[in-house]
Amino acid sequence: MDDERDHNTSSSSLPSLCKQLASSTLRGSLEPDIPVVDLSASDEELVLRAVVKASEEWGIFQVVNHGIPTELMQQLQVVGKQFFDLPEAEKEAVAKEEDFEGYKRNYLEGIKAWDEHLFHRIWPPSCINYKYWPKNPPQYREVNEEYTRHMKKLTEKILGWLSEGLGLPPAALTKSLGGEMAEYVIRVNFYPPSPKSELALGAAVHTDIGAITLLVPNEVPGLQVFKDEQWLDLEYINSAVVVIIGDQLMRMSNGRYNNVLHRATLDKENLRISWPVFVAPKHDLFVGPLPELTGDENPPKFETIVYKDYLHQTIRNWTLDKLPLY
Ligand code: OGA
Ligand code: NI
């Protein structure tokens, strides 16, 4: 697909319109809808095509009938909320230290951050540091381990379709992320009601740095995506999983799949919580347009660089722009 957009993801190069305040979101019946794909449809070829089209045109879609038990999704939300409801001192038991994992409070003066979050690796087992997994509530670990198994299965299924959409064997993208060593990290975003909801954002405008993100929100709306020069609300669908294409799938597909710009708004009255699982390449892998997709006719549009370097460079840019996402 011809795609001439500016793929620079540094926020200083974002179109100025997307820096508009949360209160200026356009809402109306003419909004196009973020795609919803029913994974239980009997014709898998149709499912594949819907997932590929949504990833090219939007870079975000919701999946329903995805095979993750609703009860497990509810348990994930219950144990997450129970952790954030603990007294501050108990939450500090898993506080963030030098790396990104752990619990952090982020109620800054000004308009850019209003959240608490908990971040920890969930896969591969050799990278997990249980120090950052809450001990309280006691079921936290078991629920998150079970959820991880489902996240991995669903991610690999979606990556299989996206590989085929590029004309590659189903295992191609998973393999390029490091196979069993691809990294899965969960973040629990906790956005309390905010009196400044019209001015502040829970999560600043960004694209996800990794390859793909699978996110489950609670029922309070807030996730918005930038498409065709406007911010659109994601509609809440009970038990759906939101799939977000990140920078690495955009780069590996040589621009075919869209790393969607998104942000999270705050609600005046209601607590919003979301559970994204970020799937990223093994850190020391070189990542860039897949060689099978490029040639004289189709030159690579992106540099191939070690993922760890891409990650650090992007976070540094965010910090310079004072986007407090980490
Ligand atoms: C994120 C993110 C959106 C949300 O954590 O990367 O985009 O709805 N969160 O909380
Ligand atoms: Ni995000």
Side-chain angles (χ1 to χ4, degrees):
M1 199 179 77
D2 250 348
D3 196 339
E4 296 302 328
R5 284 165 315 153
D6 176 6
H7 285 304
N8 189 335
T9 56
S10 148
S11 77
S12 54
S13 67
L14 298 176
S16 60
L17 200 64
C18 80
K19 290 182 176 165
Q20 65 197 196
L21 298 175
S23 56
S24 61
T25 304
L26 299 174
R27 290 185 172 85
S29 55
L30 294 177
E31 281 180 9
D33 288 327
I34 295 169
V36 178
V37 184
D38 182 348
L39 301 192
S40 69
S42 56
D43 186 344
E44 192 178 335
E45 183 61 31
L46 286 183
V47 174
L48 181 155
R49 268 191 268 148
V51 163
V52 168
K53 186 165 190 275
S55 303
E56 290 175 340
E57 292 178 4
W58 286 82
I60 185 167
F61 52 98
Q62 305 203 59
V63 293
V64 296
N65 297 318
H66 39 61
I68 305 177
T70 302
E71 198 189 322
L72 178 62
M73 294 173 73
Q74 283 162 354
Q75 284 172 337
L76 177 85
Q77 302 194 24
V78 168
V79 294
K81 168 106 177 20
Q82 281 174 339
F83 168 75
F84 281 97
D85 285 342
L86 293 174
E88 200 52 37
E90 279 200 58
K91 290 188 274 189
E92 293 293 334
V94 292
K96 178 175 139 97
E97 292 167 354
E98 67 289 345
D99 201 4
F100 70 90
E101 286 185 279
Y103 165 74
K104 186 162 192 303
R105 269 173 83 79
N106 219 1
Y107 300 115
L108 299 184
E109 287 301 315
I111 65 165
K112 281 201 168 155
W114 187 259
D115 78 311
E116 289 172 49
H117 60 255
L118 172 67
F119 226 149
H120 58 77
R121 292 187 171 96
I122 55 176
W123 189 269
S126 58
C127 291
I128 292 178
N129 189 344
Y130 286 111
K131 182 170 128 185
Y132 295 113
W133 290 46
K135 304 267 175 305
N136 195 3
Q139 313 85 329
Y140 186 92
R141 176 166 165 173
E142 188 187 333
V143 170
N144 275 264
E145 284 179 341
E146 178 70 8
Y147 189 66
T148 300
R149 284 191 277 278
H150 285 279
M151 281 286 106
K152 192 159 173 287
K153 204 163 135 195
L154 181 56
T155 300
E156 288 174 359
K157 192 188 256 185
I158 294 169
L159 289 176
W161 291 324
L162 293 177
S163 298
E164 292 193 71
L166 297 170
L168 302 173
L173 285 171
T174 300
K175 242 194 219 157
S176 302
L177 296 176
E180 287 298 299
M181 294 305 284
E183 187 174 281
Y184 290 61
V185 180
I186 196 166
R187 172 164 161 143
V188 188
N189 293 307
F190 183 89
Y191 309 110
S194 166
K196 297 186 293 186
S197 68
E198 311 225 318
L199 293 171
L201 286 172
V205 179
H206 67 285
T207 58
D208 286 352
I209 304 176
I212 192 167
T213 305
L214 269 58
L215 177 147
V216 172
N218 76 347
E219 72 290 351
V220 179
L223 179 54
Q224 299 185 327
V225 305
F226 195 67
K227 182 160 196 307
D228 300 334
E229 306 299 304
Q230 54 179 309
W231 283 103
L232 304 172
D233 292 307
L234 180 99
E235 183 201 354
Y236 172 73
I237 302 174
N238 190 11
S239 298
V241 173
V242 184
V243 181
I244 299 171
I245 303 292
D247 296 351
Q248 306 317 311
L249 278 190
M250 186 270 287
R251 289 159 41 73
M252 292 159 86
S253 66
N254 206 25
R256 277 272 303 276
Y257 297 138
N258 179 42
N259 60 339
V260 67
L261 262 184
H262 56 285
R263 67 183 185 184
T265 59
L266 298 165
D267 195 281
K268 254 197 180 58
E269 277 134 36
N270 301 296
L271 167 66
R272 178 158 188 277
I273 316 184
S274 67
W275 286 260
V277 169
F278 303 101
V279 183
K282 184 173 181 293
H283 279 205
D284 57 1
L285 288 181
F286 278 92
V287 180
L290 297 179
E292 303 92 313
L293 304 179
T294 58
D296 292 345
E297 301 277 282
N298 203 2
K301 294 179 180 162
F302 309 98
E303 217 189 328
T304 293
I305 57 173
V306 176
Y307 177 63
K308 190 173 41 185
D309 295 341
Y310 183 95
L311 178 70
H312 293 151
Q313 207 174 302
T314 308
I315 292 175
R316 201 164 45 238
N317 286 342
W318 281 356
T319 317
L320 290 177
D321 285 343
K322 305 222 170 6
L323 293 177
L325 276 169
Y326 279 79

